[in-house]
Amino acid sequence: MRCDLAVIGAGPAGLAAATRAAEAGLAVELFDEQPAPGGQIYRAIETVPAPRRALLGPDYAAGAALAAAFRASGAGYRPGALVWNVDSQLNVDFSQDGRSRQCRARAVVVATGAIERPTPLPGWTLPGVTTAGALQILLKAQGLVPAEGVVLAGSGPLLLLLAEQLTRAGAAPRAIVETVPRGRLSAAARHLPAALRAPGYLAKGLAMLRALKRAGVPFHRGAEALAIEGADHAEALSFTAGGRRQRIESRLIALHQGVVPNQQMTRLLRCEHRWSDGQRCFLPVVDDWFESSVEKVFVAGDGAGIGGAKSAALRGRLAALGALRRLGAGEDKRLAGEAAALRGALDKDGAVRPLLEALYAPSAQILAPADDTLICRCEEVTAGALRKAVALGCPGPNQAKSFLRCGMGPCQGRLCGLAVSEVIAAERGEPQQTIDYYRIRPPLKPLPLAELAAFDVGDDAGDEAGDDQDAA
Amino acid sequence: MLKRLELDDGGGSGAAGPVRFTFDGREMTGRAGDSLAAALLANGVLQFRESAVSRQPRGPFCLMGVCFECLVEIDGVANWQACMVPLAEGMTVRSQRGGPAVVPLPQTERTGS
Ligand code: FES
């Protein structure tokens, strides 16, 4: 099968990109691992019952229009499809309904979004400990909330938003344990004037904090030395704040230290990445049209650097324009005009980011985990073991794989990659940019051997014929 | 541990009726629209498996297909990401104990969901 534009991911960026490109007449295929459009931010947006939708608020409900426009656009849609490889010729290998096939694309938009930053802490592997995002997914997609409360620990806007949504749902958290150090706010304040240019964000943030206060949710600030206690499951979170050790019992504990681009696809494609001190993670290098260093590969949405849902949709549209331009499918002048307007809107919406990045920079504890803390959950490698390997001469993440097997488990480094780069950089006294990241190889997720064995891209003619029937 | 939102009961999401499945032989019910992981959590199951190396208890962490902590055996086939699999009537689910760290994983959606 063939298409003009393959879009990977059905969050706001992917939906917007696919919609814009299809409206311009391109043959678009959108691949997404989830069964329905929306990504994580607009999870279940098409099927959510009205009361829950109201509870989640207007920012969530805004996703419905994006999904509806996409459905009406004529873009091809492949839900439940895992893209496990994209090669340099832009052949997209995907698995759907137990079968792997290939789609030959002329351009690709990677819209695989963000994942939560790894949060290595003592006890973070115990059942009952999740990401904050996981709890929000349960709320959005299933209407499930903690029955006896949850302790939310870490920092970032998502942590506060989740706290407020749970409170409104009648499931207020037992406590918020925030790791933002004292004095951070005044240090971040220099970004305040710029942030005021972004419409609405600050007012919403303050309203959220007020609502939490009104609801009487205990708020511990400046928490350090977090540890999750428990034998077979989480039982309590202990931490130091206000000069004393404290302990809050809970079987559910949700961690959060901000989100970072999901790099698997852009690393696989060998896109150039650069370390960002502001976002404290690697970002794929993109130009004005969100085209990466690999020709005709665009990266839209949070995958190109964290900007939030509104920016993601704007970037998606811009990436689609970039693809139209690259494929000669639009009049340059008109594309440029539309792109300029989008860039203006992006600039405005993104103005809040430097403040958020400075205020909610990840905690020192997770950036430099204690020696006995597990850093690679799959292969059960501690930060101490990694440091020892570095002392023995291990120069980077890819060598750490062969020293320790870290990053070699089923998650393929998604949950340890950044932490491993950080620890090695600190131990060697070199910048993260130099240390770099795991090399990512296909398949992006393990596949059944039988499916791989049956995978046959076929010669061109045969493939096309088979595929036409498929599409009919 | 987790409860369904009461406000949803008027909203139609429970109208489809219960979906029955078993986990390690225990009979459980979930709802249409649940992922298998969500249904297990709603039934009070926090631990889905034991870790591959030192057999420590593990359960879902991300619920978005990233962490692979939710791996379970479904109808005799191991290594499904429970958070990515829609719950289906009659599933026989078993927790995973140890085993090799890297094994082939079925990744596609099951039919009949
Ligand atoms: S819970 Fe993380 S992959 Fe399923």
Side-chain angles (χ1 to χ4, degrees):
Chain A
M1 68 186 282
R2 289 173 181 279
C3 69
D4 294 321
L5 182 67
V7 179
I8 306 166
L15 291 175
T19 303
R20 183 64 187 85
E23 283 169 359
L26 290 193
V28 178
E29 286 290 336
L30 185 146
F31 301 86
D32 188 52
E33 230 183 317
Q34 294 292 334
Q40 303 308 333
I41 191 88
Y42 301 134
R43 194 74 183 239
I45 191 68
E46 291 183 327
T47 50
V48 66
R52 196 194 308 162
R53 180 164 145 170
L55 183 141
L56 288 165
D59 285 344
Y60 170 76
L66 271 177
F70 166 70
R71 292 281 190 185
S73 71
Y77 177 40
R78 291 184 178 269
L82 165 74
V83 173
W84 53 266
N85 191 26
V86 180
D87 66 21
S88 57
Q89 306 300 305
L90 305 190
N91 297 315
V92 177
D93 301 332
F94 67 98
S95 166
Q96 192 182 24
D97 299 325
R99 191 179 144 212
S100 275
R101 279 172 289 175
Q102 187 172 80
C103 178
R104 297 165 189 214
R106 295 170 65 211
V108 172
V109 173
V110 177
T112 48
I115 61 175
E116 275 179 76
R117 181 188 299 279
T119 49
L121 292 172
W124 73 308
T125 55
L126 285 169
V129 180
T130 66
T131 62
L135 282 190
Q136 209 189 27
I137 287 167
L138 287 173
L139 172 59
K140 287 174 184 167
Q142 277 90 30
L144 281 167
V145 293
E148 292 122 33
V150 55
V151 176
L152 305 181
S155 85
L158 176 63
L159 203 69
L160 301 175
L161 174 63
L162 175 65
E164 192 235 5
Q165 288 172 331
L166 289 176
T167 303
R168 259 191 289 151
R174 291 186 176 200
I176 300 169
V177 177
E178 203 186 49
T179 55
V180 177
R182 301 215 168 260
R184 183 71 79 63
L185 185 59
S186 40
R190 67 195 168 92
H191 299 293
L192 202 56
L196 286 166
R197 284 178 47 232
Y201 287 102
L202 289 187
K204 267 183 225 159
L206 291 173
M208 230 153 51
L209 288 172
R210 270 198 305 273
L212 290 171
K213 195 166 181 189
R214 240 191 342 265
V217 177
F219 206 126
H220 303 269
R221 292 174 200 275
E224 291 175 336
L226 274 60
I228 295 138
E229 300 172 11
D232 292 335
H233 57 79
E235 285 163 22
L237 176 78
S238 59
F239 58 95
T240 303
R244 65 190 177 92
R245 198 73 190 154
Q246 308 187 40
R247 183 175 187 277
I248 304 172
E249 282 188 15
S250 183
R251 290 191 64 166
L252 293 179
I253 294 164
L255 305 176
H256 186 67
Q257 290 285 339
V259 295
V260 294
N262 178 358
Q263 305 174 70
Q264 299 298 111
M265 193 67 73
T266 48
R267 291 275 176 186
L268 174 77
L269 274 155
R270 302 277 180 273
C271 298
E272 189 187 339
H273 290 71
R274 249 181 239 145
W275 180 260
S276 157
D277 279 326
Q279 296 192 23
R280 194 117 194 177
C281 59
F282 292 98
L283 309 179
V285 176
V286 293
D287 69 8
D288 275 6
W289 301 85
F290 286 84
E291 188 169 6
S292 73
S293 63
V294 177
E295 203 173 299
K296 294 183 186 150
V297 171
F298 296 80
V299 189
D302 276 353
I306 303 308
K310 262 193 207 163
S311 280
L314 295 167
R315 290 175 182 182
R317 226 159 282 151
L318 195 41
L321 299 181
L324 291 172
R325 180 170 154 265
R326 270 289 190 187
L327 299 177
E331 197 193 310
D332 270 6
K333 226 174 109 189
R334 279 188 49 195
L335 293 176
E338 188 180 341
L342 288 170
R343 287 189 197 111
L346 264 178
D347 184 54
K348 210 169 158 192
D349 190 63
V352 72
R353 289 289 143 187
L355 175 71
L356 295 179
E357 287 162 12
L359 184 55
Y360 295 120
S363 78
Q365 189 188 7
I366 64 128
L367 293 177
D371 275 345
D372 55 359
T373 298
L374 278 187
I375 191 163
C376 166
R377 298 170 60 116
C378 297
E379 294 293 332
E380 298 174 61
V381 179
T382 62
L386 179 60
R387 291 191 178 103
K388 223 174 255 162
V390 174
L392 289 171
C394 171
N398 293 300
Q399 294 78 7
K401 280 186 179 176
S402 32
F403 269 81
L404 300 163
R405 289 196 55 82
C406 70
M408 303 267 286
C411 96
Q412 293 173 299
R414 288 168 174 85
L415 236 67
C416 66
L418 268 184
V420 164
S421 294
E422 290 269 15
V423 167
I424 298 177
E427 286 304 293
R428 292 181 61 90
E430 289 176 46
Q432 293 90 338
Q433 177 74 40
T434 311
I435 297 303
D436 210 12
Y437 194 78
Y438 290 135
R439 235 182 331 274
I440 303 298
R441 295 203 168 86
L444 279 182
K445 282 189 180 179
L447 286 168
L449 287 178
E451 185 176 332
L452 277 177
F455 176 59
D456 179 10
V457 294
D459 61 44
D460 222 343
D463 190 42
E464 294 291 298
D467 212 68
D468 286 347
Q469 280 168 6
D470 233 43
Chain B
M1 217 126 334
L2 290 160
K3 60 178 184 190
R4 306 270 176 185
L5 281 179
E6 273 159 39
L7 61 83
D8 273 359
D9 291 339
S13 79
V19 180
R20 285 164 305 175
F21 67 104
T22 65
F23 179 69
D24 287 343
R26 287 158 60 200
E27 296 195 2
M28 298 183 176
T29 58
R31 285 186 185 177
D34 282 354
S35 66
L36 173 57
L40 284 167
L41 289 168
N43 279 275
V45 179
L46 288 180
Q47 180 182 340
F48 284 28
R49 65 180 192 105
E50 281 175 355
S51 66
V53 181
S54 66
R55 304 202 144 215
Q56 297 301 305
R58 294 284 175 88
F61 183 67
C62 74
L63 290 179
M64 54 182 272
V66 170
C67 72
F68 288 72
E69 292 287 17
C70 61
L71 297 181
V72 291
E73 180 189 305
I74 305 174
D75 299 336
V77 181
N79 296 310
W80 290 92
Q81 283 181 293
C83 70
M84 301 298 283
V85 176
L87 179 68
E89 177 75 24
M91 275 181 170
T92 302
V93 186
R94 304 197 62 85
S95 55
Q96 258 178 237
R97 313 267 157 196
V102 180
V103 274
L105 296 176
Q107 275 308 323
T108 53
E109 253 185 272
R110 290 166 50 93
T111 46
S113 54

